[in-house]
Amino acid sequence: MKRPRYILSSRKMGIFLMIFSFLWIYTFTNYSLFRDGGQGTKESERLKAEILEKSKQYVQALAQENSQGEIAEGFSSYDLKKTMAVLLDSILLRLSKLEKKVDAAISNGTLGATLRNITQSENQNESRENQHQPKNLSQPLVLNDDAKNDYKIEKKRDMPAEPDKKNSILTARDLILEPDHTCQYRDSELVGYVHCKGKIEWMNKYWQTDPCYSHYGVDGSDCTVAIYLSEIENWCPVLPWRKGAVNNLLHDPDAVPANIKTDKSGLYKLMTDEKFAWMKMRIDRMWESKWVPAAKSLASKQDLGNRMQKRILIHLGLLTKESGFKIAETAFSGGPLGELVQWTDIITSLYILGHDLTISTRTDILKNYMKSKGVTSKNCPVSGVRPLDLIYIDIVGLKQFKKVAGPLWNQFNCMLRVIDTFGTEPAFNVDSYARRAGTKSVWGKWNLVPQQFMTMFPHTPDNSFMGFVVENYSNNTKVMKKEKDMAVVYGKKGDMWLGSRKYLDIIREKFTLHATVYVNESGIESLLGVPSYVINHGLLKGDQVQDLLRRAKLFVGLGFPFEGPAPLEAIANGCVFLNPSFDPPKNSKNTDFFKGKPTLRELPSQHPYAERFIGKPYVRTININDATALRQALTDIQNTADLKPYLPHEYTTEGMLQRLHAYIEHQNFCNRRVEMWPPLSALQVKIASNGESCKDICMKHDLVCEPAFFKELNSVERIEKEGQMQCREKKVLDEIYPPSFTDNSACFIQNHHLLYSCAGGVKNQNRICPCRDYIRGQVALCKDCF
């Protein structure tokens, strides 16, 4: 005979649950909030334990009934029991954790703990304890097109209380009542976070693919996803009611003071590889005479005593076997030296400033180092002790590092400082924009903050100016005795001389020409482009080149190489630099050398820095195809009195140390909420005319464009104020020109913070440009920068 099934009505079940919940909450509240520590607490503790134990047994039994018996026909208590069992199980777990929190607060006398601390620990504990509990009970994230494209996340009752604006105190009452919170982003809040929506959608679907997401508190609910993406990975803005939250994902090790180092033996222990032979030779020449005095001089002018040591990884991709460049191998046989000069000076500066360095010239060393710091194939960020602070690297090494970092690239890329000779403009840096605008480059699409790219000369204000040190041993206060008719030609290889015969013939009329062209074993092929009347000294050592320049009156540019260090060395020895101009300017469209490079910059001459920042009488920029003008310039140079050696401060050892020290102490691309640098006191707003770039309008006012200030101008209110107009139309764009406006009062706001650009102008738009002052001879720093 078939057993009759007992059907519990939903009404009965509901009444039972209401009575049960009331009794439980009443008992818990009395116990947690009103116990006095006397003997009466023992009875409440016994009752509490008994209720909890019976409740857990009952709920667990209900939750397991899915695998027992048959489901009643039609509506029965089974459906309700199944739902309520899961819900009660979750409620019990949450109340248990809340009980522990309140118990601890009462016993320690800290019931008024701050919301930030409680929220942080609660999220971390819940993620660990809930890994095997039923999750994703809430509705998934949806895009609400009916709400003006606001990004909605459903309200949760499982989030902490909203912090008070003054003291953010969380009370026991808040813990029990748990006021509602909305995880909501409006379009205005997502400016600069173009990937936020996509990342939230991805996380909703795939958060269970890696257990590390649960470790960081993600349980499939919309708020935990938003908190993770805003506070752990920084893809989204911090939720308004979480503004007080602090990302303690990484914490600094015990602080170690950064003390000036004047003993180079420690540096040489890091440079044992034979690839460093040329670099060590340069360091030896300059250590006692240049670097040590510069460090002492800087320390006497600026407070260097309260600095903390940074742990810095230096990876020289150009010296790796995989690069194929063989720069170190050809350094003594006419190979390019510009990169080696710059890297030598960067490494030396970092060491003297007292930082902890690790130097890598091999990809296997790079891989093992990162592995030792916890960088593995995990999808989630590394936590615990901060593995390192900064990474100095070149473009070749950047590709190698990205491969090693894998999924953790997004955590470490903010630490990068990329040594990039010619710079990377924002139009080439942002992958999505480069594809749309056709500004693709094999060297671009890194999606870094443009100031993380550091150039050899200050030609691209969107990037940071790193520079190098010009080696000279002249007394800058004394005029040097020159041989009036002696000129040295700038070109170490014979092929650099090709096509210059007519130009050189004119110079020969007034000057004897000397050269330092490398001669190979054949002795003929390497001199094919060099006229026979040129006195060639062959490839010389650094001190021998200095001797030659001290005697010469004129240093002759051939139009190539572009923006090298040699003209500054000549000027530092009292020479006049003959700087060939270009009409039209050289750029990626008309010059093979620049094709594929991530810049649209145009070079008006062989050395734009010398032309703009030094000028006459040390630099004569001239059209070398104009014979009349050339002859006149040569006559003027020959009749000009001998000059004192001149070297801009930014290319001295002290200037290099000062600049790099400022970058290390103030540039922070890992935290958007740090104090702005340069300080806003340096901001001067200028309005560019139609088609004019911010770089050009700032230059017209003897200022430089400062991209860090763009975000201060990126609002309708600021456009209206600076443009003295009323915006009739507002558009948010992923373009390099905003903030800007048109004659018909259309205003354009920048949507992507990586696209802020000093370069480029656009027809029919006036750009709102952030300019700043600068220190003469130290263009990277403003007057209030330190």
Side-chain angles (χ1 to χ4, degrees):
M1 181 177 179
K2 188 174 182 180
R3 293 174 56 189
R5 287 174 295 183
Y6 173 73
I7 299 178
L8 179 64
S9 68
S10 60
R11 178 181 176 85
K12 294 179 180 179
M13 185 63 176
I15 293 173
F16 169 77
L17 290 174
M18 288 176 61
I19 294 173
F20 170 77
S21 300
F22 174 79
L23 290 174
W24 200 98
I25 293 175
Y26 176 79
T27 302
F28 174 71
T29 303
N30 276 277
Y31 171 76
S32 299
L33 301 181
F34 306 108
R35 64 178 180 177
D36 58 6
Q39 295 299 320
T41 59
K42 295 181 179 179
E43 180 65 17
S44 63
E45 289 177 358
R46 185 188 66 79
L47 291 173
K48 179 188 69 174
E50 184 176 343
I51 291 174
L52 284 174
E53 182 61 30
K54 295 296 184 183
S55 299
K56 289 178 181 179
Q57 293 177 8
Y58 178 72
V59 170
Q60 290 170 357
L62 290 177
Q64 293 174 358
E65 287 187 9
N66 185 34
S67 59
Q68 300 174 2
E70 300 178 11
I71 300 176
E73 295 180 3
F75 178 78
S76 72
S77 64
Y78 178 84
D79 302 290
L80 182 60
K81 287 194 296 181
K82 177 182 177 182
T83 302
M84 293 304 298
V86 175
L87 179 60
L88 282 172
D89 197 21
S90 178
I91 291 174
L92 288 173
L93 182 64
R94 291 184 56 77
L95 288 174
S96 178
K97 292 195 295 293
L98 288 175
E99 175 191 347
K100 294 177 182 178
K101 182 63 66 176
V102 174
D103 285 348
I106 293 174
S107 62
N108 295 328
T110 59
L111 185 58
T114 61
L115 171 66
R116 181 174 61 190
N117 294 336
I118 291 178
T119 299
Q120 195 168 4
S121 60
E122 191 68 24
N123 285 341
Q124 293 173 350
N125 292 336
E126 185 173 341
S127 67
R128 289 190 290 268
E129 295 174 14
N130 275 356
Q131 287 185 12
H132 302 294
Q133 301 297 328
K135 299 187 179 185
N136 205 20
L137 302 175
S138 57
Q139 293 297 319
L141 181 67
V142 294
L143 292 177
N144 193 334
D145 295 329
D146 297 328
K148 298 181 179 180
N149 293 321
D150 284 353
Y151 208 52
K152 302 282 188 180
I153 304 180
E154 294 299 318
K155 290 186 177 182
K156 297 294 172 188
R157 298 190 61 85
D158 59 351
M159 304 311 297
E162 184 171 357
D164 181 78
K165 293 182 179 179
K166 293 184 178 180
N167 52 24
S168 299
I169 296 300
L170 183 67
T171 65
R173 182 176 180 276
D174 294 326
L175 288 172
I176 294 173
L177 297 182
E178 294 182 322
D180 286 350
H181 282 291
T182 301
C183 299
Q184 174 179 322
Y185 295 125
R186 299 185 182 278
D187 283 346
S188 60
E189 295 172 327
L190 289 179
V191 172
Y193 295 88
V194 294
H195 300 292
C196 180
K197 293 181 180 180
K199 290 295 181 181
I200 293 178
E201 291 175 339
W202 185 94
M203 187 64 73
N204 271 322
K205 294 179 181 178
Y206 303 111
W207 68 272
Q208 291 178 307
T209 58
D210 193 314
C212 71
Y213 295 125
S214 296
H215 173 75
Y216 285 114
V218 179
D219 62 5
S221 66
D222 303 328
C223 281
T224 59
V225 168
I227 290 172
Y228 175 85
L229 292 175
S230 62
E231 298 177 22
I232 302 299
E233 292 201 7
N234 298 317
W235 290 109
C236 301
V238 176
L239 295 168
W241 53 275
R242 296 277 299 180
K243 289 296 185 182
V246 178
N247 181 355
N248 289 327
L249 186 63
L250 294 174
H251 61 269
D252 295 324
D254 294 336
V256 177
N259 299 317
I260 295 294
K261 298 177 182 178
T262 57
D263 181 1
K264 66 177 182 289
S265 61
L267 176 59
Y268 282 3
K269 290 179 181 179
L270 304 174
M271 305 174 71
T272 56
D273 196 299
E274 61 182 11
K275 294 178 181 179
F276 294 115
W278 189 92
M279 300 172 75
K280 290 166 71 174
M281 184 178 69
R282 175 177 170 85
I283 294 172
D284 278 336
R285 287 199 309 267
M286 300 173 61
W287 187 263
E288 295 296 338
S289 61
K290 296 294 181 181
W291 285 112
V292 173
K296 293 179 179 179
S297 176
L298 182 63
S300 69
K301 299 173 183 177
Q302 293 183 220
D303 182 11
L304 302 180
N306 297 318
R307 300 174 302 118
M308 293 299 105
Q309 189 180 76
K310 305 291 186 182
R311 285 152 306 133
I312 301 175
L313 169 65
I314 301 171
H315 180 64
L316 291 83
L318 77 167
L319 298 185
T320 62
K321 180 180 179 181
E322 291 81 358
S323 71
F325 289 157
K326 297 184 178 180
I327 291 179
E329 292 81 353
T330 61
F332 296 98
S333 58
L337 297 177
E339 289 83 0
L340 288 181
V341 166
Q342 189 177 34
W343 271 114
T344 302
D345 299 339
I346 292 171
I347 293 172
T348 305
S349 297
L350 293 173
Y351 176 80
I352 288 178
L353 289 171
H355 298 294
D356 180 14
L357 308 183
T358 298
I359 304 177
S360 164
T361 59
R362 290 172 18 205
T363 54
D364 60 327
I365 293 177
L366 174 65
K367 185 175 181 179
N368 291 335
Y369 174 82
M370 295 303 292
K371 187 176 181 180
S372 70
K373 298 299 181 180
V375 180
T376 59
S377 59
K378 294 180 180 179
N379 290 318
C380 291
V382 174
S383 60
V385 177
R386 190 182 306 278
L388 66 161
D389 297 295
L390 293 170
I391 304 168
Y392 283 81
I393 202 165
D394 55 19
I395 294 291
V396 175
L398 197 58
K399 295 182 178 181
Q400 298 166 349
F401 177 80
K402 188 171 185 178
K403 184 177 180 180
V404 170
L408 298 184
W409 162 261
N410 287 325
Q411 184 180 19
F412 288 93
N413 63 10
C414 64
M415 304 176 186
L416 294 166
R417 303 295 183 268
V418 185
I419 308 307
D420 184 13
T421 301
F422 294 98
T424 298
E425 293 179 358
F428 294 84
N429 174 51
V430 179
D431 189 15
S432 58
Y433 180 85
R435 290 197 303 267
R436 175 166 55 85
T439 55
K440 293 184 290 186
S441 168
V442 295
W443 306 107
K445 299 181 293 185
W446 290 107
N447 297 300
L448 301 176
V449 176
Q451 291 101 308
Q452 290 180 253
F453 296 98
M454 313 190 99
T455 60
M456 183 170 280
F457 289 95
H459 47 60
T460 305
D462 292 311
N463 303 149
S464 298
F465 164 49
M466 172 57 73
F468 58 96
V469 174
V470 172
E471 185 177 4
N472 82 305
Y473 300 92
S474 303
N475 187 331
N476 291 353
T477 63
K478 295 182 180 180
V479 175
M480 303 186 69
K481 185 64 176 177
K482 296 286 187 177
E483 296 182 20
K484 189 175 181 179
D485 63 347
M486 180 178 175
V488 175
V489 181
Y490 179 23
K492 293 188 301 180
K493 289 188 174 183
D495 56 5
M496 295 179 180
W497 297 60
L498 296 174
S500 301
R501 181 61 183 261
K502 183 178 178 180
Y503 166 52
L504 294 173
D505 286 345
I506 294 175
I507 298 175
R508 183 198 178 197
E509 295 173 6
K510 293 183 177 294
F511 289 87
T512 302
L513 299 180
H514 295 251
T516 57
V517 179
Y518 170 70
V519 180
N520 59 21
E521 294 180 357
S522 67
I524 300 175
E525 183 180 351
S526 57
L527 293 174
L528 286 178
V530 182
S532 58
Y533 53 74
V534 174
I535 302 172
N536 184 39
H537 299 265
L539 192 65
L540 301 178
K541 295 180 179 180
D543 54 348
Q544 294 174 320
V545 172
Q546 297 291 317
D547 290 337
L548 194 64
L549 293 175
R550 279 194 286 269
R551 293 164 47 204
K553 176 86 171 182
L554 179 66
F555 190 67
V556 179
L558 296 173
F560 186 85
F562 304 117
E563 299 180 309
L568 296 188
E569 292 183 4
I571 293 170
N573 281 284
C575 295
V576 176
F577 173 49
L578 195 60
N579 182 34
S581 64
F582 303 139
D583 187 16
K586 301 286 188 182
N587 56 50
S588 59
K589 296 180 180 179
N590 61 20
T591 306
D592 289 340
F593 180 84
F594 289 107
K595 288 182 179 179
K597 289 183 170 56
T599 177
L600 294 174
R601 190 166 62 96
E602 296 186 332
L603 271 67
S605 66
Q606 181 176 355
H607 211 290
Y609 174 85
E611 179 182 0
R612 179 193 172 190
F613 291 101
I614 300 178
K616 294 182 179 180
Y618 293 94
V619 181
R620 298 297 295 263
T621 302
I622 191 169
N623 179 3
I624 62 176
N625 295 316
D626 185 339
T628 301
L630 176 59
R631 287 189 171 92
Q632 183 61 51
L634 293 172
T635 300
D636 293 344
I637 292 170
Q638 208 166 42
N639 294 333
T640 299
D642 292 340
L643 301 173
K644 294 180 180 179
Y646 175 74
L647 180 61
H649 179 69
E650 54 203 353
Y651 285 100
T652 65
T653 45
E654 184 176 341
M656 180 86 175
L657 288 170
Q658 180 188 50
R659 184 169 58 255
L660 198 50
H661 161 64
Y663 286 155
I664 292 171
E665 296 302 314
H666 298 292
Q667 282 189 335
N668 187 333
F669 304 112
C670 294
N671 188 348
R672 295 192 188 184
R673 288 172 278 181
V674 297
E675 184 178 355
M676 177 174 287
W677 190 84
L680 272 175
S681 59
L683 172 62
Q684 299 185 39
V685 181
K686 303 296 178 183
I687 308 298
S689 59
N690 288 346
E692 187 175 31
S693 71
C694 286
K695 175 184 176 181
D696 292 339
I697 185 63
C698 292
M699 189 183 299
K700 284 182 180 179
H701 291 84
D702 195 25
L703 302 168
V704 294
C705 181
E706 178 51 64
F709 293 152
F710 267 117
K711 61 182 179 181
E712 297 297 319
L713 308 179
N714 193 44
S715 67
V716 170
E717 294 77 16
R718 199 62 188 265
I719 292 175
E720 291 179 337
K721 175 184 176 182
E722 302 297 343
Q724 298 183 351
M725 44 82 70
Q726 190 75 30
C727 295
R728 297 181 179 178
E729 180 184 7
K730 168 192 166 184
K731 292 183 179 179
V732 180
L733 304 176
D734 286 353
E735 260 295 349
I736 63 172
Y737 309 116
S740 59
F741 63 92
T742 65
D743 292 338
N744 60 0
S745 300
C747 296
F748 302 100
I749 304 296
Q750 178 61 262
N751 186 50
H752 200 312
H753 73 286
L754 297 182
L755 283 176
Y756 288 129
S757 177
C758 293
V762 60
K763 292 181 179 179
N764 302 320
Q765 285 189 35
N766 299 96
R767 300 191 62 189
I768 309 294
C769 298
C771 307
R772 66 163 171 84
D773 58 37
Y774 63 93
I775 299 173
R776 298 295 173 184
Q778 188 69 289
V779 69
L781 304 180
C782 65
K783 296 175 182 178
D784 293 336
C785 279
F786 57 88

